[in-house]
Amino acid sequence: MSIRRMIVVVAALAVAGASCSESGSDEGSSPSPSSSASSSPSPSLTPVTPSPSTPAAQPGPVTPSAAEEIVTGLAAPWSIAFVPGSDGQALVTQRDEATIVLVDAAGTVTPVGPVPGVDGSGEGGLLGLAFDPASPTDLYVYATMGSQNVVQRTTYSDGALGELSVVIDGIPAGTRHDGGRLAFGPDGMLYISTGESGDPDDAQDLGSLGGKILRITPGGDVPGDNPFDGSPIWSYGHRNVEGLAFDDDGRLWASEFGDRSADELNLIQAGGNYGWPFVEGIGGAPDYIDPVVEWRPTSEASPSGIAYVRDTIFVAALRGERLWQVPVSGETAGEPAAFVTDDGRLRDAVVAPDGTLWVLTNNTDGRGDARPGDDRILRLTLTP
């Protein structure tokens, strides 16, 4: 049976300071009781004063007002993709088991099947999913296969996957920084986020697909209007991007894990250099593009999946164990506010066909404190 509860805003903010990633991982593990992001914050928590680099506050047009637990018992889930034309059904990847399951709003979980050849450890495994809006049965899957990450295309119909074929490979893989998010743009192209797999130099190397956002056709070709001739690279200088979302005007937003100083929300420009490993967070360096929002320290966020709805970006935070709401207006952003603070690590946020927001917990991935029912999907009601 689902559990419905009210959501209380906790705090606004990016806090000045620095925090080292735990165990060499962006995603870290659940904060210890002595940390600033320890147990679930209470509604009476005093708001944190924004750092000087945080943009001026703006009223957020969309706010979560209630959360309902609709799916339980998932194993290290990573990505949600709604099935086109269905009545709120979605596919979910389970990273470590390399399986895909079908879930519905009633909480039913139905196995779909494994993705063969997945071979990953740490942050690698079966990661992102995306349906092609122009060809609704075509499903794209991002997975670690040994020393590389690969994007494959298959079909999904009548509860089953079809044959898989590679659309792009050669993306560096490792036990951390594997990227993994997929998103189709309004231009019909497939955008792919990658990490530098622990090798910072890859982020600046235009000969490597690591530490980039890639853009390809649905068939895997390089579009003629990409910024680097013959290359799938759309932007570079990224450490580890795990969230992609397009706004109503077709702008691409991306969340990015920082190292020891700041996590980022970036507005992506074709051919743009986002600075890693030379700059982290808002640095003001003329050769690199600064993020629109930063979180300091990194324990406040470790941002993974993001969703855009009505001038608001929602950011699922892992180490931060909260859902950040970021109001946006054009190319500017207001002050982030925190919601969903008592459900542990959050991996993905996706807008459902009915306008609600589905949020995926991630407490069974080896870094969280799993509780009965984990991992879960929460359905959030959004209000103006």
Side-chain angles (χ1 to χ4, degrees), residues 172 176-178 194-200 202-203 210-211 238-240 276:
R176 60 192 183 116
H177 306 181
D178 284 290
T194 76
E196 33 82 310
S197 65
D199 185 351
D202 274 2
H238 299 293
R239 186 169 182 266
N240 189 29
W276 178 254

Side-chain angles (χ1 to χ4, degrees), residues 59-63 246-248 307-314 326-328 351 354-356 381-384:
V62 179
T63 301
F246 287 89
D247 65 22
D248 290 336
Y308 172 87
V309 56
R310 291 182 292 173
D311 297 327
T312 307
I313 292 176
F314 290 101
V326 182
V328 294
V351 180
D354 64 1
T356 60
T381 301
L382 302 177
T383 57

